[in-house]
Amino acid sequence: AQTVTQSQPEMSVQEAETVTLSCTYDTSESDYYLFWYKQPPSRQMILVIRQEAYKQQNATENRFSVNFQKAAKSFSLKISDSQLGDAAMYFCAYRSANNNNDMRFGAGTRLTVKP
Amino acid sequence: KAGVTQTPRYLIKTRGQQVTLSCSPISGHRSVSWYQQTPGQGLQFLFEYFSETQRNKGNFPGRFSGRQFSNSRSEMNVSTLELGDSALYLCASSSGDSFYEQYFGPGTRLTVT
């Protein structure tokens, strides 16, 4: 079964600085999708960024970018120019490209942004 | 477009009772997935419905069931509630394509006493 591991339960960053959240996953499949979700204190989960495994180019969405290392099964999220509104729980998620597989989430990393 | 809505937002039930939670997906979305979120177990996938059929199922006991209606609205039912069922239940909708973005609702906070 696929597993997703986020080894950093908590992270802290100074406003305007850069922070990287780690995520590793275990799978025997070659075709899959990876996601980073953000869950602010209000609890509504929001998709931050996604990556197709077949794409070598790392995804980027404004201040958010990923470092996707397929061979190492690593999918880290980099947040540049951190803002107070970035404070939230961040979840890494994996989904197989096959329709019969569910979405697997990591345990989450709580990010604190210090003013 | 209106977002994913879940009702009720909060619920308190007693052990042994049953509960039904509702989820209305974004208009046009045909897939609805349910997740259980607890501090100890994190986010766990319950099941996914697509066009009124259960397409995927997580590793939960048969007390957890669901269904989807022709308008894509979905309900989740938990029978014979246990204290351990206390959790935030999240619903997410998507278009249902193999590579899709899931949009989450605000969740239903269920407390079992």
Side-chain angles (χ1 to χ4, degrees):
Chain A
Q2 298 84 7
T3 57
V4 179
T5 302
Q6 291 178 251
S7 58
Q8 306 153 315
E10 296 184 357
M11 289 285 284
S12 178
V13 64
Q14 206 71 34
E15 196 175 5
E17 297 294 308
T18 295
V19 65
T20 299
L21 307 184
S22 301
C23 173
T24 58
Y25 57 94
D26 183 28
T27 185
S28 58
E29 299 180 321
S30 59
D31 197 11
Y32 49 87
Y33 310 110
L34 297 166
F35 307 86
W36 276 99
Y37 280 89
K38 169 185 176 181
Q39 189 176 37
S42 67
R43 290 294 195 177
Q44 193 113 14
M45 295 269 282
I46 304 164
L47 179 68
V48 174
I49 199 166
R50 62 188 177 200
Q51 174 84 41
E52 298 101 310
Y54 64 85
K55 287 188 177 179
Q56 291 187 338
Q57 186 173 5
N58 290 323
T60 299
E61 286 288 340
N62 301 312
R63 299 182 294 107
F64 299 88
S65 62
V66 298
N67 183 3
F68 174 49
Q69 302 288 329
K70 191 172 184 179
K73 296 179 184 174
S74 171
F75 183 61
S76 60
L77 174 70
K78 185 171 83 171
I79 306 174
S80 304
D81 185 26
S82 296
Q83 300 175 0
L84 295 178
D86 294 334
M89 279 291 285
Y90 285 82
F91 293 95
C92 177
Y94 167 103
R95 182 178 172 105
S96 168
N98 301 320
N99 282 335
N100 290 329
N101 280 276
D102 54 87
M103 182 92 91
R104 301 281 175 152
F105 285 83
T109 296
R110 182 175 301 282
L111 178 66
T112 302
V113 181
K114 297 179 179 178
Chain B
K1 278 185 179 178
V4 178
T5 58
Q6 291 187 245
T7 57
R9 292 293 309 278
Y10 302 91
L11 206 50
I12 300 176
K13 289 286 188 179
T14 304
R15 269 182 304 176
Q17 288 186 315
Q18 75 165 25
V19 67
T20 299
L21 312 181
S22 180
C23 171
S24 292
I26 290 172
S27 177
H29 282 187
R30 296 162 65 192
S31 169
V32 173
S33 297
W34 288 90
Y35 298 87
Q36 181 194 66
Q37 186 176 24
T38 59
Q41 298 297 318
L43 269 159
Q44 295 186 88
F45 171 77
L46 281 154
F47 31 65
E48 179 202 9
Y49 284 86
F50 179 78
S51 294
E52 301 180 65
T53 302
Q54 188 180 86
R55 186 161 70 172
N56 298 307
K57 189 178 188 305
N59 189 26
F60 275 81
R63 300 185 297 107
F64 292 81
S65 63
R67 60 177 175 170
Q68 187 180 33
F69 301 95
S70 58
N71 61 358
S72 293
R73 188 178 70 86
S74 177
E75 287 183 347
M76 190 192 93
N77 184 274
V78 187
S79 63
T80 319
L81 284 166
E82 301 176 359
L83 294 178
D85 296 334
S86 295
L88 181 69
Y89 289 89
L90 294 169
C91 159
S93 82
S94 73
S95 64
D97 294 336
S98 59
F99 175 49
Y100 58 80
E101 182 173 325
Q102 290 194 332
Y103 296 83
F104 283 81
T108 294
R109 170 73 65 186
L110 171 65
T111 301
V112 182
T113 61

